[in-house]
Amino acid sequence: MAPNQSGWRPEMTKRDHEAPATFTGNRALMLEEPLIFEIGDDKTTGVDFAEGDVAGDRLGGLTRKAPIGLPGLSEPETVRHYTRLSRQNYAIDLGLFPLGSCTMKHNPRLNERMARLPGFADVHPLQPVDTVQGALGVINELAFWLIDLTGMHGVAMSPKAGAHGELCGILCIKAALEKRGQGHRKVILVPESAHGTNPATAAFAGFTVEDIPATVEGRVDLDALKARLGPDVAAVMITNPNTCGLFERDMKAISDAVHAAGGYVYCDGANFNAIVGRVRPGDLGVDAMHINLHKTFSTPHGGGGPGSGPVVLSEALSPFGPLPFTARYEDGHIRLIEEESVGDDHPDSFGRMTAFHGQMGMFTRALTYILSHGADGLKQVAEDAVLNANYVLRSLEDVLDAPFGPSGPCMHEALFSDEGFPQGFSTLDVAKGLIDEGFHPMTVYFPLVVHGAMLVEPTETESKAALDQFIGALRSVAERAKAGDATLKSAPHYAPRARLDETLAARKPRLVWKRDTMGQAAE
């Protein structure tokens, strides 16, 4: 290496010994952060108050009679504490996020810029309608895009997230059944390959849930479904593409059979990203489907999201959708229909899902994403998502078992199992080893129909270079597991915290922190 003009020669010192301990416990920029209770105590505060009874009698006898028990910190101490903790988190802005069935795609910054415009960011739900025509226009235009992309008849915009949207759809079905005098239909059929929230939602709404088995190819057993249909079945809740990453090829036949038996078809739209612009669920006979804006349409998973799970509805269910909804009149004015008694537009609505109209920030981000892509761009989103998932599947199927790989290509996510691992090694070991490689682990042990499942969804926003790096890392960890590398059993080694005893953590969690009389930390 040639020296620079000053004569100084940069060199990297070889580490031929163990790194020394540090006074602080920190390791350079990897900062050891104590609990907030260990930083401050209830004897101090970051704010100065004047002496005396400043509250007087204004609290009506509700003056605090005992210490609040929270630590007192200055503003810099508080900001630094949470900033240091945030540095120990993984995020989509740090690298590929392979969680299956989560669609952890990049959140375009253009979306954030639009959502922060004052007319959208500062809008208040109780403002007069005449002062929020722009915001209502965004809700109305997004609604029409969602209807068009899904081939449905109407949409409920107010549900706050996917599971909330599921409840909305099921309540629409319940109202429709009661309207036609068939409230006795109390059974909802849920395939084994459905999302776990489906049976929970059905049970919460007062229905009995029954499973429908899957075929050896990982899809709904159509014959078993038809055999169970009867006068007590209210609906089927089906995820398509399903959680095995496979498209339900019999979807239209399933819908036809359910409709012929007098039931409705609810589709979990969590995996809509794999088919957006390519397949319209309405054309497959779907009656209701929620759409996760934080998945298909790139609104944030955290930091203010999800917050939005619109539900598209068929012509049969639209009259029963919740209030409010937007309506554009001939003069171009947009109104919010908030009462069942307003006109004859919605006399059969089951009521409200939320106090107000939905999540404005998520609506703005999603519409920005849709308009910046256009119809052709959204179609490419689905194509690239499927392409990337199949690249991962075919690149790793020689080292990881792909239970449904032989049956053809997958859709948006690649599914692997722990078959072939030596005794004592598991999916959990691979997941923990992936942390040492700098990646958040994939979804593990789900779906339940595959033993030791590892579900990888790369999304369409990852480049080939990023995919190759992830594939190389997962291949390395898988090869170590198959070779019986004992160091995997104690991974991760480079994370801020070592592996927990997950059984002990689940059964005897430490949920309360306090100081004992000697000033030491105690449970």
Side-chain angles (χ1 to χ4, degrees):
M1 182 183 296
N4 59 26
Q5 293 181 353
S6 69
W8 176 69
R9 186 191 192 101
E11 293 182 356
M12 180 70 74
T13 304
K14 293 182 179 179
R15 293 182 179 176
D16 54 0
H17 54 77
E18 228 178 272
T22 60
F23 173 77
T24 59
N26 299 334
R27 289 174 287 171
L29 294 179
M30 187 178 289
L31 306 178
E32 180 65 25
E33 185 63 13
L35 297 174
I36 196 168
F37 290 92
E38 297 172 309
I39 300 173
D41 58 63
D42 56 10
K43 304 290 192 301
T44 60
T45 178
V47 181
D48 290 332
F49 290 105
E51 295 290 336
D53 183 11
V54 296
D57 295 326
R58 288 178 296 169
L59 297 180
L62 297 178
T63 308
R64 187 179 299 282
K65 297 179 174 55
I68 192 171
L70 295 176
L73 282 80
S74 67
E75 182 173 316
E77 288 176 318
T78 305
V79 170
R80 287 169 184 164
H81 173 72
Y82 289 107
T83 301
R84 288 169 177 168
L85 290 180
S86 73
R87 288 163 55 114
Q88 298 180 9
N89 287 338
Y90 195 79
I92 191 64
D93 288 342
L94 292 176
L96 185 152
F97 217 124
L99 280 172
S101 245
C102 291
T103 319
M104 304 291 287
K105 65 169 70 178
H106 171 67
N107 306 137
R109 293 306 180 263
L110 176 63
N111 299 359
E112 304 304 314
R113 184 175 180 181
M114 294 300 102
R116 283 166 173 74
L117 291 174
F120 298 135
D122 300 336
V123 69
H124 193 282
L126 295 181
Q127 283 182 236
V129 171
D130 288 342
T131 69
V132 291
Q133 285 295 296
L136 293 180
V138 166
I139 299 174
N140 197 64
E141 185 168 357
L142 176 59
F144 274 98
W145 269 99
L146 297 180
I147 290 170
D148 192 49
L149 287 169
T150 58
M152 301 290 268
H153 183 267
V155 61
M157 298 296 290
S158 59
K160 294 293 190 179
H164 202 215
E166 287 179 17
L167 180 61
C168 173
I170 294 302
L171 291 179
C172 287
I173 291 172
K174 190 173 186 177
L177 290 172
E178 291 174 351
K179 174 75 174 181
R180 69 188 200 201
Q182 293 189 335
H184 61 275
R185 291 179 178 262
K186 292 295 185 181
V187 175
I188 288 184
L189 306 180
V190 180
E192 291 178 345
S193 56
H195 275 134
T197 50
N198 293 179
T201 297
F204 183 81
F207 290 93
T208 299
V209 179
E210 293 187 18
D211 290 339
I212 297 297
T215 66
V216 293
E217 291 186 343
R219 294 177 172 88
V220 174
D221 188 325
L222 180 58
D223 291 336
L225 174 69
K226 288 181 176 180
R228 179 56 191 87
L229 291 173
D232 60 339
V233 173
V236 60
M237 297 184 77
I238 187 168
T239 306
N240 192 26
N242 66 30
T243 53
C244 296
L246 303 173
F247 188 79
E248 293 289 354
R249 294 190 290 243
D250 293 327
M251 188 67 214
K252 187 63 169 67
I254 290 171
S255 297
D256 290 344
V258 173
H259 290 153
Y264 293 96
V265 178
Y266 185 92
C267 181
D268 186 318
N271 298 331
F272 188 51
N273 196 61
I275 59 174
V276 61
R278 297 280 301 183
V279 177
R280 302 196 316 168
D283 297 335
L284 301 177
V286 170
D287 292 301
M289 182 182 85
H290 76 264
I291 301 173
N292 301 81
L293 296 190
H294 61 285
K295 298 182 69 175
T296 302
F297 299 110
S298 80
T299 65
H301 277 69
S308 189
V311 179
V312 286
L313 301 167
S314 67
E315 187 172 1
L317 290 185
S318 288
F320 305 95
L323 298 171
F325 63 92
T326 59
R328 185 184 293 273
Y329 288 79
E330 291 182 1
D331 61 359
H333 195 76
I334 301 176
R335 290 180 59 193
L336 269 173
I337 307 301
E338 301 193 70
E339 301 291 339
E340 294 92 331
S341 59
V342 178
D344 297 322
D345 292 331
H346 228 52
D348 296 319
S349 170
F350 70 74
R352 282 181 173 267
M353 290 293 293
T354 63
F356 297 113
H357 325 311
Q359 227 286 19
M360 194 67 224
M362 297 304 117
F363 295 155
T364 307
R365 289 175 174 90
L367 183 60
T368 301
Y369 179 84
I370 289 172
L371 295 179
S372 62
H373 279 75
D376 58 337
L378 292 174
K379 178 181 177 183
Q380 186 179 347
V381 162
E383 292 169 348
D384 290 349
V386 173
L387 178 64
N388 282 356
N390 278 278
Y391 182 61
V392 171
L393 178 68
R394 300 309 174 194
S395 296
L396 290 168
E397 63 182 352
D398 64 319
V399 68
L400 285 172
D401 174 62
F404 303 119
S407 64
C410 63
M411 292 296 289
H412 59 299
E413 52 196 354
L415 178 60
F416 304 100
S417 79
D418 61 358
E419 185 175 334
F421 288 177
Q423 184 70 27
F425 285 82
S426 67
T427 289
L428 185 65
D429 299 321
V430 174
K432 299 297 187 183
L434 204 54
I435 295 174
D436 278 339
E437 294 287 349
F439 289 101
H440 191 287
M442 70 297 272
T443 295
V444 295
Y445 300 111
F446 180 81
L448 301 178
V449 294
V450 171
H451 190 275
M454 292 172 273
L455 193 60
V456 179
E457 183 180 2
T459 83
E460 76 283 357
T461 56
E462 298 301 333
S463 66
K464 183 176 181 297
L467 293 176
D468 286 339
Q469 185 185 47
F470 172 76
I471 289 167
L474 184 49
R475 171 179 288 276
S476 173
V477 176
E479 289 174 343
R480 288 169 58 197
K482 298 186 84 169
D485 185 346
T487 62
L488 270 183
K489 299 300 296 180
S490 54
H493 302 278
Y494 304 120
R497 288 292 178 270
R499 187 189 299 203
L500 295 174
D501 182 330
E502 298 194 7
T503 301
L504 186 63
R507 299 192 177 190
K508 295 184 178 180
R510 297 185 182 182
L511 302 178
V512 179
W513 190 95
K514 62 183 180 181
R515 287 185 186 275
D516 64 18
T517 55
M518 301 299 292
Q520 301 295 316
E523 285 188 37

